């Protein structure tokens, strides 16, 4: 508890809602002043149960409702307990235990101080000057709003505790898992007392389990009813194990579950040996249970920025209280405790605040009026228990924090407006601010209060001009006054400042000027003076423009023009106004460095050892003239080293002393008063090369051959500044003074071909680069060796006959060796010649040649040095001859034996008739009297074939034209002929071909007679020939039936071996034309003459069964009507049968009903009707009769009125309709379909599956 002597406790000083109801408050730090009644003040605890509420009125007049569980501490200034108004049926009882006074509200009828103590409801005491929180008005019903039990189980006797707990199940269940936190007040008790207390707790739990299934004993009838609201206090049992410990994952209490690591715990040293593994496990489990049973800590001495904590070490179980006889009491293990705090709620992150072996700790540096949650965790021998239940408490309110110093909002010469921000109120609203000042007397003066009130700004008037004042600020709330802020010094405004001196130049740049000025003379240091720097560009015409406005005494003006004069002046000002401008100063910006020179190029063509550079002046001189140009030169393209080649004011220079064919880089920059310009981009210059120097004489590589030599050489010693790209080799033939170039290229060797064997040749060499060829080297001599003979001249060919030719040739130059052999190649094509002769003769005869064919030949000579080249090809052609023999003859198929004829185009003189296109009709030759031949044309041997001769044996030979196929006509059917063919040209006849046999086919059959055997209005059944209606598999004779369509063309209806055919889908009373043709293996016979058959008229459709209705002694028969058929009217014929007699016609006409009178009452009647078509030019056509309808005789039931019995008889004796043929057919089809579906399902189910 905290002691406050000046004001009552507010709602912000309440303890947390997590404190149990039955826990007693801890002893205060100063019992003489707070707990006992002897002191000037008295603390009263109003305890609010879970689910109930307690209403108080604060000092500001507002009402606040406090929900339980909570302890509301009240302070009495005079030390006496005020009168508390209780609800009807309850009385007030004051009990003092252990120096703490408690107010109990108990039932009025049954109250015994030493026995049952039910819950009570604390009413409000009457209001007084220092305890305004108690008000008489409370919420109803009173038992449900608030009930305070100012006592705990830790302070009562055993009898009192056991009788009290059954009175309120909600409070007792809270004590079932968590020990009372009033235990912290008895930390001075010995261990035996603690064990006795633990056994008492266990007995309470046992009684709770016996009396109501763990929910506590039933309430007595005299006890107040429990609150209907749910308990929002302590979490359920086991919830502490689900809380997360630590702050930011760094606390040692992060592991909520007990550690699984069990250390080897030895027995007492008196036992003399280690325990078994099973015993170690039991001891570790017992110790773990003891660590998990730690009670929640007790919070005492709650202050605004601190609080004290006490807790009880984990107690032993009941079985470990008394040691057995002969055994020593086991030593108490050493526990380590860790306290963790959370200000983010019970389920928030916890941060470790204390770790040690003590049973108490003090929390420091807390925030005022803040809810905190504290829990403790025990550790022993590497075993860590679960954290205890979290205890919630709220720190007390206190005076506000130190405010920030006030600041100047505005001011004049004689006034200041100050403003400040509100500091943290620390739980109590800031009511007033205290502003002190020194009245402008200086630092040694004392501060005097100039303002006291709730506003956050204040205006001071009647102040001195240009004076300094010191201020400090403090805040005040119900808890007290904060400390004063730091002292701040604020000046009042002064008079208008004097004109400052002219500005001075500090430093100048190309685009900036740094200007400074001085404070006006006579201005006090405390005066806040601002300055306006005005600038005018010379020649701009805009006048002075402000370029700076501020309190600094220097400024750098940027973004100016180079080498430009600017004028400056300064104006000073304060809150009272502006001064006159200062004197004008002129400053000029520095010149800039020039840009690089332009258009750096080479003037003229570079020489092998020098070149001339030229350039233009820079486009931008930087504001000053260029004084010097510097040219630099670098050899190579790397640009690593540069040397100065020129320095002067000219715009060109000569770079000499260079190497031919080398690459150089040149660059130039200029210098002026503004500095050096950037370098130009490097210009690449290539000096031209010179031709290379002379080469060494070429030399022979290897042994010289008869017709070629291989020459090798080395590069020249001097390349002339460019790589050698080509060599030129010249050769001098024997007895020739002028040489010719035999090689030109980049290689260092070459082969010189086409030389003569055994001759001496001279060679010389020169090299070339980009500059051209250098001088020739000295000549070297080379002699070739012997070679093969020269090529022969073209041979001479003489043809003796179409199949024989003689070839002759002359001997060539031998080249120093005698020709020993000649080779003759002969062939029909240039690429397929073969050696046909090899020998020393100079002629050869070729036999077996083809007439009128082209041949090629050539000759080659051979000596000891090798074979010489072939002679030129010689072409010859053998004379023409008679044709060759025909190699193959084939017979034409029947489909190929056609006569191509053109149909005559119809006349187009009449415009109304349509024009028809030409069409070709293919009429086949008869294979019975004709034979078709086709053969391959033989070789004509140089003379075109003019005709062919076909020999048929006994008959006269047939001479044809130059064709390759022919059809022989007028032959005998079914006859075999021996045929052979020979070709003829202008030179004679060729040999006959091989003899082959061909046979004509028998004659095709004649067409049969066509007749109509049956006809209807839509069908015609046709029959032809003699034979069965169905075809036999062995029948070779087949028929082709055709019918003429609307366009006059015959279309195919049937083709097959049958003798009958039914033509369907015809129109009634229409004539159709037919023709037939017979065909077999011999071919298709001719078509028959055209037969015409006509379909009859169609009969009327059958009618449905007529409807019969009995009317007294007569009956009325009605039937459906049919429309006229193609203009022919339709009449109806009604027939009737009496008994077993025959049907007789009773009506014929166009009506659709008929009434039959004088019916016999003892006979049955049968009726049927048919439709009749009355044709105009033909007899009537009678349709099919309908189904028969039976009219049974009338049934007489008994005497009665005639009118009613007659109607009932006619109604009961209606004829039964019989099924028509169509209905009966449909029924049979439906039955078959259902049967097939059932069979398929059965097969699927029993067979397949």
């Amino acid at each position: 508890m905290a002691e406050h002597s000046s004001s009552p406790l507010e709602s912000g000083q309440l303890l947390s809602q997590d404190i149990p109801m039955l826990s007693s408050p801890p002893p205060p730090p100063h019992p003489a002043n707070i707990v006992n009644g002897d002191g000037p003040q008295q603390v009263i605890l109003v305890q609010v149960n879970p689910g109930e509420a307690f209403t108080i009125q604060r000092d500001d007049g507002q009402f606040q409702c406090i929900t339980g569980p909570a302890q509301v501490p009240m302070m009495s200034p005079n030390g006496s307990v005020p009168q508390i108004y209780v609800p009807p049926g309850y009385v007030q009882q004051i009990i003092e235990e252990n120096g703490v006074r408690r107010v109990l509200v108990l039932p009025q009828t049954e109250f015994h101080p030493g026995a049952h103590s039910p819950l009570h409801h604390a009413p409000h005491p009457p209001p007084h000057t220092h305890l305004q929180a108690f008000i008489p008005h409370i919420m109803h019903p009173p038992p449900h709003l608030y009930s305070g039990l100012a006592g705990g189980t830790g302070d009562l006797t055993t009898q009192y505790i056991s009788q009290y707990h059954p009175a309120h199940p909600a409070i007792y269940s809270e004590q079932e898992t968590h020990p009372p936190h009033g235990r912290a007040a008895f930390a001075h008790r010995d261990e035996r007392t603690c064990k006795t207390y633990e056994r008492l707790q266990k007995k309470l739990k046992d009684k709770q389990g016996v009396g109501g299934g763990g929910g506590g004993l039933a309430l007595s009838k005299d006890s107040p009813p429990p609150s209907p609201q749910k308990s929002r206090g302590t979490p359920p049992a086991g919830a502490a194990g689900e809380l997360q410990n630590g702050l930011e994952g760094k606390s040692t209490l992060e592991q909520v579950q007990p550690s699984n690591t069990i250390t080897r715990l030895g027995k007492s040293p008196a036992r003399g040996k280690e325990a078994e593994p099973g015993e170690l496990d039991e001891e570790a489990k017992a110790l773990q249970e003891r660590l998990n049973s730690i009670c929640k800590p007790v919070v005492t001495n709650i202050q605004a920025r601190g609080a004290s904590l006490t807790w009880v070490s984990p107690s032993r179980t009941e079985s470990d209280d008394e040691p057995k006889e002969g055994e020593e009491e086991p030593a108490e293990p050493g526990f380590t405790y860790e306290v963790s705090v959370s200000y983010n709620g019970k389920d928030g992150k916890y941060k470790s605040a204390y770790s040690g072996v003590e049973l108490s700790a003090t929390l420091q540096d807390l925030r005022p009026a803040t809810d905190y949650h504290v829990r403790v965790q025990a550790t022993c021998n590497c075993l860590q228990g679960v954290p205890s239940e979290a205890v919630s408490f709220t720190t007390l309110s206190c005076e506000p924090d130190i405010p920030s110093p006030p600041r100047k909002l505005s001011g004049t010469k004689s006034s200041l407006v100050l403003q400040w921000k509100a500091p943290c109120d620390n739980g109590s609203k800031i009511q007033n601010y205290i502003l002190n000042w020194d009245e402008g007397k200086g630092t040694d003066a004392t501060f005097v209060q100039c303002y006291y009130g709730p506003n956050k700004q204040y205006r001071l008037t009647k102040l001195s001009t240009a004076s300094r004042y010191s201020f400090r600020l403090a805040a005040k709330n119900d808890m007290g006054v904060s400390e004063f802020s730091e002292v701040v010094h604020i000046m009042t405004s002064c008079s208008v400042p004097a004109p400052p001196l002219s500005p001075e130049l500090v430093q100048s740049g190309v685009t900036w000027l740094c200007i400074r000025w001085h404070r006006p003379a006579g201005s006090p240091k405390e005066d806040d003076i601002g300055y306006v720097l005005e600038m005018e560009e010379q020649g701009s015409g805009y006048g002075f423009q402000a370029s700076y406005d501020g309190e600094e005494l220097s400024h750098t003006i940027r973004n100016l023009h180079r080498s430009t004069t600017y004028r400056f002046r300064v104006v000073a000002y304060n809150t009272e106004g502006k001064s006159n401008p200062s004197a004008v100063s002129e400053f000029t910006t520095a010149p800039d460095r020039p840009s690089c020179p332009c258009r750096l190029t080479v003037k003229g063509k570079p020489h092998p050892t020098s070149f001339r550079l030229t350039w233009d002046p820079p486009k931008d001189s930087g504001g000053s003239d260029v004084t010097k140009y510097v040219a630099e030169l670098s050899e190579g393209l790397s640009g690593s080293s540069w040397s100065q080649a020129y320095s002067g004011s000219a715009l060109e220079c000569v770079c000499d002393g260079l190497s031919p064919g080398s690459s150089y880089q040149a660059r130039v920059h200029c210098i002026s008063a503004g500095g050096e310009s950037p370098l130009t981009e490097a210009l690449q210059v290539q000096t031209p090369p010179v031709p290379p120097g002379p080469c060494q004489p070429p030399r022979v590589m290897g042994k010289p051959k008869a017709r070629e030599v291989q020459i090798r050489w080395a590069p020249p010693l001097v390349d002339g500044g460019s790589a050698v790209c080509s060599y030129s080799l010249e050769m001098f033939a024997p007895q020739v003074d002028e040489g010719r170039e035999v090689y030109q290229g980049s290689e260092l060797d070459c082969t010189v071909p086409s030389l003569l064997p055994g001759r001496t040749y001279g060679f010389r060499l020169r090299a070339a680069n980009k500059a051209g060829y250098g001088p020739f080297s000295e000549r070297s001599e080379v002699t070739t060796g012997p070679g093969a003979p020269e090529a022969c001249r073209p041979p001479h060919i003489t043809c003796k006959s179409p199949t024989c030719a003689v070839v002759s040739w002359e001997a060539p130059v031998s080249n120093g060796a005698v020709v020993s052999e000649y080779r003759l190649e002969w062939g029909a094509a240039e690429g397929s010649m073969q050696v046909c002769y090899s020998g020393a003769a100079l002629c050869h005869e070729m036999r077996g040649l083809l007439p009128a064919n082209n041949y090629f030949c050539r000759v080659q000579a051979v000596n000891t040095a090798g074979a010489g080249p072939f002679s030129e090809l010689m072409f010859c052609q053998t004379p023409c001859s008679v044709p060759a023999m025909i190699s193959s003859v084939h017979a034409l198929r029947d489909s190929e034996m056609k006569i191509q004829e053109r149909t005559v185009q119809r006349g187009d003189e009449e415009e109304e008739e349509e024009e028809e296109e030409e069409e070709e009709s293919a009429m086949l030759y008869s294979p019975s009297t004709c034979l078709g031949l086709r053969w391959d044309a033989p070789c004509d041997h140089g003379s075109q074939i003019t005709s062919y001769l076909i020999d048929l044996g006994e008959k006269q030979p047939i001479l044809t034209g130059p064709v390759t196929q022919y059809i022989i006509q007028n032959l005998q059917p079914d006859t075999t002929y021996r045929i052979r063919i020979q070709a003829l040209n202008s030179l004679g006849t060729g040999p006959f071909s091989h003899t082959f046999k061909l046979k004509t086919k028998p004659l095709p059959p004649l067409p049969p007679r066509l007749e109509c055997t049956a006809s209807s209005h839509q069908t015609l059944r046709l029959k032809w020939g003699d034979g069965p209606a169905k075809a036999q598999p062995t029948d070779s004779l087949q028929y082709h039936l055709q019918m003429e369509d609307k366009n006059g063309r015959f279309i195919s209806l049937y083709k097959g071996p049958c003798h009958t055919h039914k033509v369907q889908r015809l129109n009634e009373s229409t004539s159709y034309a037919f023709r037939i043709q017979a065909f077999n293996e011999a071919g298709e016979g001719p078509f028959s003459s055209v037969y015409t058959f006509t379909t009859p008229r169609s009969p009327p459709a059958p009618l449905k069964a007529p409807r019969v209705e009995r009317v007294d002694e007569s009956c009325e028969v009605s039937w459906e009507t049919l429309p006229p058929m193609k203009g022919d009217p339709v009449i109806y014929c009604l027939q009737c049968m009496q008994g077993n007699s025959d049907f007789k016609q009773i009506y014929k006409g166009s009506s659709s009903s008929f009434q039959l009178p004088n019916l016999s009452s003892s006979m049955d009647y049968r009726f049927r009707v048919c439709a009749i078509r009355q044709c105009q030019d033909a007899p009537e056509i009678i349709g099919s009769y309908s189904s028969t309808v039976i009219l049974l005789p009338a049934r007489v039931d008994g005497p009665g009125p005639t009118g009613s019995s007659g109607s009932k008889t006619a109604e009961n004796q209606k004829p039964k309709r019989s099924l028509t043929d169509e209905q009966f057919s449909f029924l049979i089809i439906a039955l078959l379909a259902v049967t097939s579906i059932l069979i398929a399902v059965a097969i699927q189910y029993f067979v397949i599956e």
Side-chain angles (χ1 to χ4, degrees), residues 966-977:
Y966 185 76
I967 297 176
I968 306 174
Q969 302 180 21
N970 302 323
L971 301 180
Q972 296 296 328
D974 198 15
T975 305
T976 300
Y977 293 91

Side-chain angles (χ1 to χ4, degrees), residues 62-76:
Q62 297 181 358
F63 292 93
Q64 182 175 1
C65 183
I66 303 173
T67 58
Q71 293 190 38
V72 183
M74 298 294 177
M75 298 183 66
S76 177

Side-chain angles (χ1 to χ4, degrees), residues 485-500:
S485 65
E486 296 180 358
V487 178
V488 62
H489 305 286
I490 302 176
M491 290 286 298
T492 56
S493 302
C494 302
S495 59
V496 177

Side-chain angles (χ1 to χ4, degrees), residues 91-93 95 104 106-114 116-118:
V91 297
Q92 173 184 355
Q93 180 71 28
I95 299 177
L104 302 180
L106 304 176
Q108 186 176 2
T109 56
E110 298 180 2
F111 173 69
H112 302 284
H116 180 68
S117 178

Side-chain angles (χ1 to χ4, degrees), residues 16-195:
S16 173
Q17 299 178 357
D18 294 334
I19 301 178
M21 293 295 99
L22 298 182
S23 61
S24 63
H30 306 285
N33 296 330
I34 298 179
V35 178
N36 298 329
D38 300 336
Q41 296 179 348
Q42 178 71 34
V43 176
I44 302 173
L45 296 179
V46 179
Q47 199 140 355
V48 186
N49 290 336
E52 299 184 358
F54 180 64
T55 306
I56 63 174
Q57 182 180 11
R58 300 192 302 186
D59 292 342
D60 54 1
Q62 297 181 358
F63 292 93
Q64 182 175 1
C65 183
I66 303 173
T67 58
Q71 293 190 38
V72 183
M74 298 294 177
M75 298 183 66
S76 177
N78 54 7
S80 62
V81 178
Q83 180 66 26
I84 300 178
Y85 291 92
V86 299
Y90 288 82
V91 297
Q92 173 184 355
Q93 180 71 28
I94 301 176
I95 299 177
E96 182 176 357
E97 294 178 349
N98 298 327
V100 178
R101 291 184 180 183
R102 304 182 184 275
V103 180
L104 302 180
V105 180
L106 304 176
Q108 186 176 2
T109 56
E110 298 180 2
F111 173 69
H112 302 284
H116 180 68
S117 178
L119 296 177
H120 64 280
H121 301 275
H124 299 284
H128 52 82
T129 56
H130 295 284
L131 197 60
Q132 299 178 4
F134 293 91
I135 59 176
H137 175 70
I138 60 176
M139 301 172 61
H140 294 282
H144 296 165
L145 292 180
Y146 59 88
S147 61
L149 181 61
T153 58
D155 299 335
L156 303 179
T157 60
T158 306
Q159 180 183 2
Y160 181 85
I161 296 172
S162 61
Q163 292 178 354
Y164 167 75
H165 278 287
H168 202 298
I171 300 178
Y172 190 86
S173 63
E174 195 172 12
Q175 298 294 329
E176 180 180 7
T177 306
H178 310 288
H181 87 256
R183 291 281 296 173
F186 306 97
H188 61 277
R189 296 181 180 178
D190 55 0
E191 185 178 357
R192 181 64 62 183
T193 304
C194 294
K195 293 180 180 180

Side-chain angles (χ1 to χ4, degrees), residues 977-1015:
Y977 293 91
R978 299 171 61 89
I979 301 173
R980 60 178 184 172
I981 305 174
Q982 65 178 170
L984 290 81
N985 62 5
S986 60
L987 300 180
T989 58
F992 276 102
S993 64
H994 298 288
T995 302
F996 56 94
K997 297 181 181 180
L998 291 178
K999 184 179 180 181
T1000 57
K1001 294 183 179 181
L1003 292 174
L1006 297 175
R1009 184 176 179 278
L1010 187 63
E1011 60 183 4
C1012 179
T1013 59
S1015 63

Side-chain angles (χ1 to χ4, degrees), residues 215-250:
L217 297 177
L219 294 173
S220 63
K221 63 180 179 179
D222 298 330
S223 300
S227 173
Q229 303 180 11
K230 295 184 179 180
S231 176
R232 291 172 287 176
T234 309
E242 299 177 0
L243 299 177
Q244 296 182 355
N245 299 334
L247 185 61
E248 299 179 0
K250 300 298 183 180

